[in-house]
Amino acid sequence: MKKISDLVYQPSRKRILSKSVFFSVIASASVICNAFSWSSKADAQTPPPVNNTEINSYAQAVLAMEPARQNAFEEIKKLISNGEIPKIVCNDSNSINGLPKKAQDIAVEYCTRAQKIVEDNGLSFDQFNKITIELQNNNILKRQVYNTLLRLQKTPEPR
């Protein structure tokens, strides 16, 4: 049975859902960023601005990664039935080695797939990492990526 509040607040829920999708995608991107950061060089220079092509490629890569991430998460969750899934970082062997063997295989497969998705969308690991890091501190870029993600999700895929 539907509540009146469900009918009144439906548009607000839609907005909340789209925002939560955005933030889960950005959180996923942060995990992927860790997967591709092979070194932790400190760079004192201001990174060059991100252009629209890079924003579009980044958003496409993140959206393409999300189903694989969710699938891997669900598979690992089924294997680790006794509690919370530990944080898995692709380039941190300790985070993967702490998993059961079958879960390790799933995590490695996901990391490999995510790496290919980034490349297939025209970004290098460095570009993807820099954008993900920049998103954490740049509200303008965050808004641009958010708007691109929304646009891409609304646009029907070509057949």
Side-chain angles (χ1 to χ4, degrees):
M1 174 184 251
K2 287 191 174 188
K3 297 178 191 174
I4 293 175
S5 63
D6 290 343
L7 299 172
V8 174
Y9 295 111
Q10 196 168 13
S12 177
R13 286 184 179 182
K14 192 174 186 179
R15 259 186 271 128
I16 290 170
L17 179 62
S18 69
K19 284 184 179 183
S20 68
V21 167
F22 170 72
F23 289 113
S24 89
V25 167
I26 295 305
S28 298
S30 296
V31 171
I32 299 302
C33 177
N34 286 334
F36 299 137
S37 55
W38 302 108
S39 65
S40 57
K41 288 190 266 180
D43 195 336
Q45 299 175 351
T46 304
V50 180
N51 66 43
N52 287 338
T53 302
E54 291 171 323
I55 290 171
N56 195 55
S57 294
Y58 181 86
Q60 287 175 330
V62 168
L63 284 174
M65 279 185 243
E66 186 59 15
R69 185 197 66 80
Q70 288 178 356
N71 188 39
F73 180 82
E74 288 302 318
E75 288 182 42
I76 292 171
K77 187 175 172 182
K78 287 177 190 173
L79 294 171
I80 303 175
S81 58
N82 64 343
E84 208 173 298
I85 297 175
K87 182 178 178 184
I88 300 168
V89 180
C90 292
N91 70 329
D92 178 4
S93 60
N94 290 331
S95 73
I96 294 175
N97 290 339
L99 298 170
K101 175 66 174 130
K102 197 165 186 178
Q104 288 178 20
D105 294 342
I106 294 167
V108 168
E109 182 182 327
Y110 166 73
C111 291
T112 302
R113 187 178 311 165
Q115 180 178 350
K116 182 165 177 13
I117 289 170
V118 168
E119 292 171 346
D120 288 349
N121 281 283
L123 293 175
S124 69
F125 303 143
D126 286 342
Q127 288 171 306
F128 188 88
N129 289 342
K130 286 177 185 176
I131 294 170
T132 301
I133 291 166
E134 183 66 19
L135 277 171
Q136 297 168 4
N137 302 312
N138 184 332
N139 288 331
I140 293 169
L141 178 60
K142 196 178 293 184
R143 174 58 61 185
Q144 289 172 318
V145 170
Y146 175 75
N147 288 336
T148 302
L149 286 166
L150 288 178
R151 180 181 50 78
L152 290 171
Q153 291 178 71
K154 288 178 186 177
T155 305
E157 291 189 24
R159 292 180 185 213

